Amino acid sequence: MTDLLEKRPAQTVRPGTEARDESPEVRRNTSSVHATDLLALAGAAVGSLALTALLFTWIAPFDSILGFVVVAYVLFLVVYAVLVSFDENSVAVRDKVAAVLWQSLAMLLLASLVLVVVYTLWRGKSALVHLNFFTEDMSRTGPLQPLTEGGVLHAIVGTLEQIAISLAITVPLGLACAVFLNEVPGRYARFVRTIVEAMTALPSIVAGLFIYATVILILGVDKSGSAAALALSVMMLPIIIRASDVVIRLVPGSLREASYALGASQWRTVWTVVLPTARSGLTTAVILGTARGIGETSPVLLTSGFAADLNLNPTTRPQVSLPLATFELVRSPQPSMIARGFGSAALLMALVLLLFIVARVVGGRGPGALTRSQQHRRVVASRRDAERMGKRARLVPQAAAAAGDFPNPAPGPRSGPEPDARPGAPGSPSG
């Protein structure tokens, strides 16, 4: 029996039928944050603070807070690199140090932005809590009046009117110039692009002086909101052109080629393909230009003048804006006026945020995406087309019947005998 068992051929094991280990599978950690990294960060922070404190208190007679922070941060990076080098190679060390450096810079920028916003709101909260701050102007309010009197309604209206006029001027001109730079290449387009790039670094005071010299002194126009809007347009126009030019360049050339292949003209392609595809980026370009112009003070100071009353007509008399009102109110030594100035700055930030949200809602849809109202109009138009085509399909047979033009009836089965196909037989073609 043993010999027979030994002579039995060995059974081959098919792939996938091996005995599996019954131990539970260990889940791999795919997170980029590990416990060793956190310990290294904590150790580097503690070590850098200790070394910096030792340097500033015992070794060198330093007492600057900014210097303490800078030295502590540099030592933090050095100590962190040393701790990471114990477990990682040189490539990983450089990667981790670079990641910590960029993330710390991002946190610094975010902290600076939060500090500016919080500080402005904190200094202006005493004026923002009063309703009259939003509904009254400063025509009957003196510097010694309490915060329960007066407001910045005149500055709010002036800012909205001036930025509306500036957008009405810069958006069509900026988009048209950006389309020209991309669709009509040549030496003149390169010259215009060079001028636009140079104007992006134009100081704001120069734009104000240009409008003051040409519009106010030479043409004799009085200081007003419209003159201030022209100065803001000079500041906003190169920003919108440059950003729109970059966005339109990113539109794939295959979309233009497909439109040309269907027989569309160049400007029809620009209007129906290029601009809708780049709509989100163009909206961002307009936002950047608006953010540049809405916070300018120097051009407005030279061209609009200063008024404490409400002026709804931007073409006559001086008209104040929120940046200019903030500048004038903060200069006052009275605490109530300073509080109104910080309240005006807080309103300006809120207005910019509102404009950003509105622009994102309007231009944040993807290429070809329709709003609900547009989809409803498309559905209603499709239903009307279907009803019109159905009526036409019913009217065609009725008109044919009235004219007596009936189609020939289809050949049906014959009632007589079938003809004999044999040659010479009765009924055959040859018979």
Side-chain angles (χ1 to χ4, degrees):
M1 179 63 97
T2 306
D3 297 338
L4 294 175
L5 292 176
E6 291 177 355
K7 294 180 180 179
R8 180 178 298 176
Q11 297 180 354
T12 59
V13 181
R14 296 181 180 178
T17 61
E18 298 89 348
R20 298 182 179 178
D21 189 5
E22 298 297 334
S23 60
E25 182 181 359
V26 179
R27 185 181 298 275
R28 297 183 60 184
N29 185 14
T30 59
S31 175
S32 59
V33 179
H34 304 283
T36 55
D37 297 334
L38 297 178
L39 292 176
L41 288 173
V46 174
S48 62
L49 289 176
L51 291 175
T52 307
L54 179 63
L55 176 64
F56 272 65
T57 55
W58 293 92
I59 299 178
F62 298 147
D63 57 356
S64 174
I65 298 178
L66 180 60
F68 184 91
V69 173
V70 172
V71 172
Y73 182 73
V74 173
L75 291 177
F76 166 76
L77 293 178
V78 174
V79 175
Y80 179 72
V82 172
L83 293 177
V84 173
S85 64
F86 293 152
D87 299 327
E88 304 288 348
N89 54 19
S90 59
V91 177
V93 171
R94 289 195 296 268
D95 180 72
K96 291 182 179 294
V97 171
V100 170
L101 177 62
W102 293 116
Q103 290 175 6
S104 59
L105 291 178
M107 293 177 61
L108 177 62
L109 294 177
L110 180 61
S112 302
L113 178 61
V114 172
L115 178 62
V116 170
V117 173
V118 172
Y119 180 77
T120 304
L121 293 176
W122 178 261
R123 292 293 303 270
K125 64 181 179 65
S126 57
L128 293 172
V129 296
H130 299 287
L131 183 61
N132 58 281
F133 183 75
F134 307 95
T135 59
E136 298 180 6
D137 55 22
M138 296 291 294
S139 58
R140 299 181 180 179
T141 305
L144 300 179
Q145 298 294 329
L147 294 175
T148 55
E149 299 181 12
V152 292
L153 177 62
H154 58 306
I156 298 174
V157 174
T159 297
L160 293 177
E161 290 185 351
Q162 292 173 15
I163 202 65
I165 296 173
S166 301
L167 288 175
I169 297 173
T170 57
V171 171
L173 292 179
L175 297 184
C177 184
V179 170
F180 166 76
L181 294 178
N182 285 272
E183 300 297 330
V184 188
R187 294 183 178 179
Y188 185 65
R190 290 194 296 269
F191 174 74
V192 172
R193 183 177 285 109
T194 303
I195 297 299
V196 169
E197 292 177 354
M199 287 185 63
T200 53
L202 183 70
S204 59
I205 190 67
V206 175
L209 288 174
F210 171 73
I211 298 299
Y212 179 78
T214 56
V215 177
I216 296 178
L217 295 182
I218 297 178
L219 300 180
V221 178
D222 295 333
K223 290 185 176 181
S224 59
S226 59
L230 292 177
L232 295 179
S233 300
V234 175
M235 298 300 303
M236 295 167 55
L237 189 59
I239 303 296
I240 296 177
I241 294 175
R242 186 73 180 109
S244 302
D245 179 27
V246 174
V247 170
I248 294 177
R249 285 186 185 181
L250 298 178
V251 176
S254 58
L255 296 178
R256 294 184 175 91
E257 295 173 359
S259 179
Y260 295 150
L262 293 175
S265 62
Q266 182 182 15
W267 301 113
R268 185 68 177 176
T269 300
V270 170
W271 184 257
T272 59
V273 176
V274 176
L275 294 181
T277 303
R279 178 176 53 193
S280 179
L282 296 177
T283 303
T284 303
V286 175
I287 290 174
L288 292 176
T290 304
R292 174 66 186 275
I294 200 172
E296 289 292 343
T297 305
S298 300
V300 179
L301 180 64
L302 294 174
T303 55
S304 70
F306 186 83
D309 59 336
L310 178 62
N311 181 17
L312 297 177
N313 188 1
T315 60
T316 58
R317 297 196 303 114
Q319 187 183 56
V320 71
S321 61
L322 282 174
L324 184 56
T326 302
F327 175 75
E328 293 292 341
L329 291 173
V330 172
R331 292 174 57 191
S332 175
Q334 301 299 326
S336 59
M337 302 296 284
I338 296 176
R340 291 187 181 97
F342 277 98
S344 302
L347 275 180
L348 183 61
M349 291 190 300
L351 180 60
V352 172
L353 178 61
L354 179 62
L355 292 176
F356 271 61
I357 293 175
V358 171
R360 277 301 172 192
V361 171
V362 173
R365 299 187 303 272
L370 302 178
T371 62
R372 291 185 177 180
S373 59
Q374 291 174 341
Q375 292 177 358
H376 178 70
R377 288 195 298 268
R378 292 288 180 88
V379 171
V380 172
S382 299
R383 290 176 179 174
R384 287 199 300 264
D385 293 340
E387 293 177 357
R388 184 169 61 252
M389 295 177 65
K391 291 180 180 179
R392 183 178 299 176
R394 289 192 299 269
L395 290 176
V396 168
Q398 295 177 2
D405 186 12
F406 294 98
N408 295 327
R414 299 180 63 179
S415 58
E418 293 292 336
D420 193 351
R422 293 177 296 175
S428 65
S430 60

